[in-house]
């Protein structure tokens, strides 16, 4: 016979699954951001552009999944673009 599960236990189990899922998505975003910053510090414009595109895609994906808020995603993309523009400004 099946064991009864309280609604609180079910909610806890669901929230734990969601927490781990969201954590994985945020971790991926942080990894791409770190790789982008390293590419900028190495003055590798081509690599930085590729990493920015990956980061932008990952952030937008996190936004649509509800992992991150719209303003947080916009702020991160803006700061990364400012870093890119400051690093590779026309001389």
């Amino acid at each position: 016979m099946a064991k009864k599960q309280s609604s609180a236990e079910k909610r806890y189990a669901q929230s734990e699954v969601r927490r781990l899922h969201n954590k994985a998505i945020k971790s991926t975003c942080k990894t791409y951001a770190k790789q982008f910053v390293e590419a900028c510090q190495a003055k590798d414009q081509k690599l930085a552009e590729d990493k920015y595109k990956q980061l932008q895609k990952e952030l937008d994906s996190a936004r649509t999944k509800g992992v991150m808020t719209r303003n947080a995603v916009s702020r991160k993309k803006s700061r990364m673009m400012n870093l890119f523009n400051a690093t590779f400004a026309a001389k």
Side-chain angles (χ1 to χ4, degrees), residues 18-36:
R18 288 191 187 102
R19 183 185 72 82
L20 293 173
H21 180 252
N22 294 346
K23 183 179 175 184
I25 293 170
K26 286 181 184 179
S27 176
T28 305
C29 290
K30 288 177 188 176
T31 301
Y32 283 130
K34 189 175 179 181
Q35 290 173 351
F36 172 76

Side-chain angles (χ1 to χ4, degrees), residues 52-79:
Y52 181 74
K53 286 179 184 174
Q54 287 178 329
L55 173 63
Q56 189 175 8
K57 182 179 176 185
E58 207 55 45
L59 288 172
D60 289 338
S61 175
R63 169 62 193 114
T64 54
K65 292 175 184 173
V67 175
M68 297 175 75
T69 63
R70 179 175 50 100
N71 288 346
V73 169
S74 296
R75 182 178 62 245
K76 289 179 190 305
K77 290 190 327 191
S78 176
R79 287 181 180 170

